[in-house]
Amino acid sequence: MPAALVACSGKRRRRTATTHAAGDSSSWASLAEDLVSLIGWRVLAGDVRDYICFRAACHHWRSCTASPCGCGVVDPRFHPRRWMMLPEGNGLYPGHGKLRGFVRFFNLSTGAFVRLKLPIVRDHRILDSVDGILLLQRNRDTAVRLLHPFTGDIVDFPPLDTLLPYMGRRSEEYLRDVAAASITSSADDQAVLLMIWLFRTVRVAFAASGDKQWRVSSWSMYQAYTPLPFQGKLYILDQATAYGGPEVLQIDPPLQLQLEGTTELSLPPPKSIAKCPARTPDSFFLYHLVECDSDILLVTFGVSVYAQISVYRLADLISGTTVPDQGTFIVSKGEQGMADETEVGIDGGK
């Protein structure tokens, strides 16, 4: 075949391929709005970052789906639940000069890493992570802020130094020791409620977004430990005696009460929902609450020479079943901080 025909044939093939590609792109971009919206919600059910990438594909898809920007914190559908901030190690921390404002995040479901630039960490301290939302304390005035790392949305709360009257003679350093925090949000009224339990305190602090100061619970807990936030509630173990099994206490979110035309917050007292397996002088072990997907698990660690680990589902304990779950296994026990303290998996072969 003459060279001219070969060149012409090659140009025709490239033109045809380009035409097909343009046609395919056009067909995807012209999907019906309700279909794009349905696909978007399915993507969001898997991961909010995938949803953000889905909306970035084209203008049509973006216009057919709800934007997470501006409501990333107040709307729980957009919370990055399976993402955690990755500790850097080697003396590095968020805001360290060598990191240049970058923070790495790790997806617990897919193992994916994402490196984000968050300049806000230069003058804020990260206290905790709740459902992937970062709990920050501003350095200059101890103000608490919730930050969505992928949308940049921020919700402001009162300064923690308003809790100093309840801390006795303790310094502001104790205000940074967050044992657990829980978020309750609603896209309908754009309100965010936050509960914080600080180490070395016997009361739970709570506030609504936009409040000027924190409130504290009217009740106290002196023997409570291993708090776990889960679906807007706090779960805590309460050990009243050296032996026997502790109780699992559930603390519901603050209630918004309408009093004389104003809205007041009130924190319900903790309620006992389950009894843990008892320990004896011959079988002494420690208790720990952990989250596994949509379940709360109770993990017991033996402290004898022949240490044993047992795992119970909280739902089983509530129903009165105290037999360890044989389909659950411990994967690892990591550092305390932004990473989960204990990773637990479900054996699919059960």
Side-chain angles (χ1 to χ4, degrees), residues 206 215 255-267:
F206 58 99
R215 301 171 177 86
L255 300 175
Q256 297 186 1
L257 306 177
Q258 297 294 331
L259 300 174
E260 298 180 355
T262 61
T263 301
E264 293 291 336
L265 292 182
S266 176
L267 192 63

Side-chain angles (χ1 to χ4, degrees), residues 27-208:
S27 62
W28 281 106
S30 61
L31 289 175
E33 292 186 9
D34 56 347
L35 181 57
V36 174
S37 177
L38 177 60
I39 295 175
W41 291 124
R42 295 290 182 90
V43 174
L44 179 60
D47 180 58
V48 66
R49 186 164 177 81
D50 289 341
Y51 178 75
I52 293 174
C53 294
F54 174 82
R55 297 187 72 251
C58 68
H59 175 74
H60 176 61
W61 289 9
R62 188 160 55 253
S63 63
C64 296
T65 50
S67 174
C69 296
C71 54
V73 177
V74 299
D75 192 336
R77 295 176 300 179
F78 299 122
H79 288 182
R81 289 180 175 82
R82 299 302 294 169
W83 289 92
M84 73 175 189
M85 195 184 75
L86 190 69
E88 295 292 341
N90 300 319
L92 300 179
Y93 53 87
H96 194 285
K98 290 185 178 180
L99 298 178
R100 295 177 296 171
F102 285 96
V103 179
R104 290 194 299 168
F105 292 84
F106 175 72
N107 189 297
L108 296 171
S109 297
T110 65
F113 287 89
V114 172
R115 187 167 176 258
L116 300 177
K117 192 173 183 66
L118 298 177
I120 193 173
V121 300
R122 293 174 179 171
D123 59 353
H124 288 68
R125 177 173 296 197
I126 299 178
L127 303 179
D128 200 0
S129 176
V130 186
D131 289 341
I133 304 295
L134 298 183
L135 178 66
L136 308 179
Q137 181 194 50
R138 192 161 53 197
N139 293 336
R140 71 173 185 267
D141 57 4
T142 72
V144 171
R145 316 181 83 185
L146 293 177
L147 169 68
H148 193 300
F150 299 139
T151 66
D153 293 333
I154 295 177
V155 175
D156 291 307
F157 287 86
L160 281 177
D161 58 14
T162 60
L163 289 174
L164 285 176
Y166 306 98
M167 302 289 291
R169 296 182 179 179
R170 299 186 176 103
S171 66
E172 291 186 5
E173 285 296 322
Y174 288 93
L175 297 177
R176 300 182 178 133
D177 292 337
V178 176
S182 180
I183 300 174
T184 304
S185 56
S186 172
D188 297 332
D189 54 13
Q190 298 291 301
V192 181
L193 304 178
L194 177 61
M195 288 190 292
I196 293 181
W197 186 30
L198 300 174
F199 284 111
R200 306 177 183 89
T201 61
V202 296
R203 296 186 180 184
V204 176
F206 58 99

Side-chain angles (χ1 to χ4, degrees), residues 286-292 295-302 307-313 324-335 340-348:
L286 305 177
Y287 303 86
H288 200 80
L289 292 175
V290 298
E291 176 185 351
C292 180
D295 283 330
I296 296 179
L297 305 179
L298 173 72
V299 182
T300 63
F301 301 89
Q308 181 180 0
I309 296 177
S310 299
V311 180
Y312 305 83
R313 297 176 187 266
D325 189 271
Q326 301 300 320
T328 311
F329 59 92
I330 303 295
V331 176
S332 64
K333 192 169 189 297
E335 298 180 4
D340 286 352
E341 293 181 13
T342 306
E343 290 296 320
V344 181
I346 301 295
D347 184 0

